[in-house]
Amino acid sequence: MIDTIMSEKIDDIDIQILKHLQSDSSQSLDSLAQICGVSINTCWRRVQRLERDGIIERRVALIDNDKVGLPLTVFVAVKTDDHSAAWAEKFRSAVDKMPEIVEFYRLAGEVDYILKIMVASVADYDRVYQRLITKVSLADVSASFAMEKLKFTTELPLPPT
Amino acid sequence: MIDTIMSEKIDDIDIQILKHLQSDSSQSLDSLAQICGVSINTCWRRVQRLERDGIIERRVALIDNDKVGLPLTVFVAVKTDDHSAAWAEKFRSAVDKMPEIVEFYRLAGEVDYILKIMVASVADYDRVYQRLITKVSLADVSASFAMEKLKFTTELPLPPT
DNA sequence: TTTGAAATGGATTCGGC
DNA sequence: GCCGAATCCATTTCAAA
């Protein structure tokens, strides 16, 4: 049982539903209900609630990046010397508008930010990089190119039920 | 138009379908077909083909990590002094079995590997770390804790059609 | 107030043009 | 690529606990 910020609780059945939907959201309510040992109706109501409460954020199709010509993943570590809120907001806004940047976190420690960028080629990465540094000034940028994707999942480590 | 490894081509209509499904896979075929300007039937057959060819890898529900008690994201940079294939396979296999490790890449350059780990707390991260280093020996491990998730998307930057 | 069985109506699937 | 029938499935309703 997970205790959320909201007054709502997530019980074991919810966790089972979430586990299955985060692994495969294309299965029918019917099979989901059977796996979770509840009626279709109960299952439907719980899924509705999980969606309404934003526990299920969205349902998406995951696309093979290699097959659509985006084989290169780059991790970019950024340090800044400008720690003002205005600069941070400018950076955030610039990144937001760049679809090649798929992940973006502010970190504690040595490195201030990390970006994950998906592109077609090193040349393509350079174009993204150039575009970014014209929008916002970065003190130090260090790119690491991924040679091999060994694991990628959107499935969160939910507790065993 | 994207030229894939396979003999199959992805045309502008496919790209439109992919764009919409990677943003929201819950919409009906009907609305998808209308947006893409094709008949339901054509749309359905294209989606089938995209799934059969593995361009659409899977359909999943994305879950709010904060709301299920997993607010902490940690990026871990790993260096190794053992560059044998056997060691690499042992590492890969260990990571594969740990659901808290949601992403894992081999990198070019200074750092050999990067891991993205999602956990409930710093103490929880430490348990994952301890478990990992008992399974495989790592020369140097450096963890960076995410203070703020500024952007996360599974949507790939597909070309404008 | 919650639950599940059954009905409805809409969406999906797939053969044939 | 399009039509349309058959099927499947999400959602609503309703009755019972």
Side-chain angles (χ1 to χ4, degrees):
Chain A
M1 172 97 101
I2 296 167
D3 208 341
T4 64
I5 288 159
M6 314 162 82
S7 62
E8 303 296 336
K9 294 282 193 291
I10 299 174
D11 69 13
D12 285 354
I13 292 166
D14 292 323
I15 291 173
Q16 276 195 274
I17 290 171
L18 291 174
K19 277 189 181 180
H20 285 98
L21 288 183
Q22 77 171 168
S23 145
D24 176 14
S25 68
S26 71
Q27 67 197 304
S28 72
L29 258 191
D30 201 350
S31 71
L32 186 62
Q34 278 193 280
I35 291 165
C36 299
V38 293
S39 71
I40 291 176
N41 213 291
T42 298
C43 191
W44 180 78
R45 270 188 253 264
R46 281 174 181 263
V47 172
Q48 291 287 110
R49 191 179 63 89
L50 291 166
E51 283 176 341
R52 183 175 39 74
D53 293 351
I55 292 157
I56 294 173
E57 286 185 334
R58 58 208 307 217
R59 288 154 179 270
V60 302
L62 263 21
I63 293 170
D64 186 315
N65 59 295
D66 288 324
K67 290 188 179 154
V68 293
L70 296 165
L72 219 212
T73 299
V74 187
F75 287 90
V76 179
V78 169
K79 295 179 194 178
T80 179
D81 41 21
D82 186 342
H83 292 275
S84 70
W87 181 87
E89 174 50 28
K90 205 165 121 191
F91 190 24
R92 198 204 53 72
S93 160
V95 168
D96 223 36
K97 294 189 190 88
M98 298 176 70
E100 299 88 350
I101 304 175
V102 294
E103 298 188 43
F104 178 33
Y105 296 84
R106 184 165 62 82
L107 302 178
E110 187 66 9
V111 170
D112 294 307
Y113 296 92
I114 191 167
L115 311 179
K116 183 177 141 192
I117 302 181
M118 300 190 76
V119 286
S121 62
V122 173
D124 203 11
Y125 164 71
D126 195 50
R127 278 188 289 273
V128 172
Y129 167 76
Q130 296 292 343
R131 192 146 36 92
L132 185 62
I133 60 169
T134 61
K135 288 184 181 182
V136 65
S137 90
L138 307 173
D140 189 49
V141 178
S142 158
S144 295
F145 294 86
M147 295 290 100
E148 202 177 352
K149 177 171 74 183
L150 296 160
K151 183 174 186 177
F152 173 85
T153 183
T154 57
E155 291 180 49
L156 302 181
L158 298 177
T161 49
Chain B
M1 170 100 99
I2 296 167
D3 208 341
T4 64
I5 289 160
M6 315 163 82
S7 60
E8 303 297 335
K9 293 283 192 291
I10 299 175
D11 69 14
D12 284 355
I13 291 165
D14 292 324
I15 290 173
Q16 275 194 273
I17 290 172
L18 292 173
K19 277 189 181 178
H20 286 97
L21 288 182
Q22 75 172 169
S23 145
D24 175 13
S25 68
S26 70
Q27 66 196 303
S28 70
L29 259 190
D30 200 351
S31 71
L32 186 62
Q34 278 192 282
I35 292 164
C36 299
V38 294
S39 70
I40 292 177
N41 215 277
T42 298
C43 191
W44 179 75
R45 271 178 234 270
R46 280 173 182 264
V47 172
Q48 291 288 107
R49 191 180 63 90
L50 291 166
E51 284 175 340
R52 184 176 39 75
D53 293 351
I55 291 156
I56 294 173
E57 285 184 335
R58 58 207 308 213
R59 287 153 179 270
V60 301
L62 264 21
I63 294 170
D64 187 315
N65 59 296
D66 288 324
K67 290 189 177 150
V68 294
L70 296 166
L72 220 213
T73 300
V74 187
F75 287 91
V76 179
V78 169
K79 294 180 195 179
T80 179
D81 42 20
D82 186 342
H83 292 275
S84 70
W87 180 88
E89 174 50 28
K90 206 166 119 190
F91 189 25
R92 198 203 54 73
S93 160
V95 168
D96 223 35
K97 294 190 190 86
M98 298 176 69
E100 299 89 350
I101 304 175
V102 293
E103 297 188 44
F104 177 33
Y105 295 84
R106 184 165 62 81
L107 302 178
E110 187 66 9
V111 170
D112 294 307
Y113 296 92
I114 191 167
L115 312 179
K116 183 178 142 191
I117 301 183
M118 300 190 77
V119 287
S121 63
V122 173
D124 203 11
Y125 164 70
D126 195 50
R127 278 188 289 272
V128 172
Y129 167 75
Q130 296 293 344
R131 193 146 35 93
L132 185 62
I133 60 168
T134 60
K135 288 184 180 182
V136 65
S137 91
L138 307 174
D140 189 49
V141 178
S142 157
S144 296
F145 294 85
M147 294 292 100
E148 201 177 354
K149 177 171 73 182
L150 296 161
K151 182 173 185 177
F152 173 85
T153 182
T154 57
E155 291 181 48
L156 303 181
L158 298 177
T161 49

